[in-house]
Every structure is written in C-alpha cells, then in structure tokens.
Amino acid sequence: MSRLLERSLEELSLPHYRVLAAVSAGEEIASRVAARLALGRPAVSAAVAALADRGFLVRVDVAGDQRAAGLQLTEEGWAALARADAAMAAQLREIAAATGEPEHLMDAMGLLNDAVSLVYAERRRAQARGVATP
C-alpha cells in the first residue's frame, strides 16, 4: 500500500511526506520527529535538510533550549503537504472503489489508523516514564 501511495506523490517521497506531516502535527523538533516516525536521527536530518533546501521547512529557535532547532512548515510546505494529501486520498479512493465495498475498506483503515495512533501514544508515554517498550 505504501508503494502505491508513494507513486501517487509527484513532488515528495513518502519519508519526506511523513516528516512534513509530523511537523504539521506539532512535532517541531527533529529528535521528536525521529521518535514519532521511528526513524533514525540521520534519516530525519537528511530529510529536514532536503525539505529546507526546497523551501518546505525552516529551522527556528526553540524557546528555553539553545541546543535544539525547531522546525516549521513554510507556506510552500503547507501547499506541498496539501497536494500530497489530496493525491494520496485520490489513490485510496480508487483502490477502495476497486474492492466493491469501499466504505468497509475506508472504515477498516480508519480503525487501523486509530489503533496505531493509540499504540504509539502509549509507547511515547512509556518512554517518557522511562519504561522499556517493545
């Protein structure tokens, strides 16, 4: 599924899309983006550098932490994210329609998304408490 979705993207790779989406959702520090996406810091750093070079992200100071650089989407970044969301939604609708029961597939995908979000939120809470997670 991820390959099909990535093929629908014209100007972003799926990893770059994921970084933009994480920053748009409030993960403004690269190390938090890496943790949220379960990616290594070097991979996120490379993606951030590429996205910044393209004018989709900017680095900003983080209040209270001189060592950290915050990340913000630019207007171009928000526009690229919106185009990517629209392209992937169209791809999902096409795939869902091919099942003959598109509503069921979309409902199942929504449930899966909710479950993944809950699992990762619990993992983040456990890590914040210093508890090992699988």
Side-chain angles (χ1 to χ4, degrees):
M1 181 60 93
S2 66
R3 284 190 298 254
L4 290 172
L5 292 176
E6 186 161 20
R7 287 183 196 139
S8 73
L9 300 174
E10 293 182 13
E11 62 188 316
L12 295 172
S13 67
L14 195 53
H16 288 184
Y17 169 81
R18 293 179 67 215
V19 169
L20 285 181
V23 173
S24 77
E27 298 295 349
E28 70 283 349
I29 298 175
S31 61
R32 291 187 196 149
V33 171
R36 178 182 179 134
L37 300 179
L39 294 172
R41 288 183 183 182
V44 171
S45 293
V48 166
L51 291 165
D53 287 347
R54 295 180 64 191
F56 294 159
L57 285 178
V58 292
R59 293 177 180 92
V60 296
D61 292 333
V62 175
D65 190 348
Q66 295 178 344
R67 298 171 298 146
L71 304 171
Q72 289 181 346
L73 270 67
T74 63
E75 285 186 38
E76 293 85 6
W78 284 107
L81 185 60
R83 288 188 297 272
D85 283 340
M88 287 193 296
Q91 182 70 44
L92 283 173
R93 283 191 299 275
E94 182 180 344
I95 292 166
T99 68
E101 296 189 37
E103 298 84 15
H104 288 73
L105 179 63
M106 298 308 283
D107 288 345
M109 289 181 70
L111 290 171
L112 180 60
N113 181 62
D114 293 346
V116 168
S117 295
L118 286 172
V119 167
Y120 279 99
E122 180 53 37
R123 286 184 184 173
R124 284 193 301 274
R125 285 191 294 273
Q127 287 172 342
R129 293 188 311 264
V131 177
T133 58

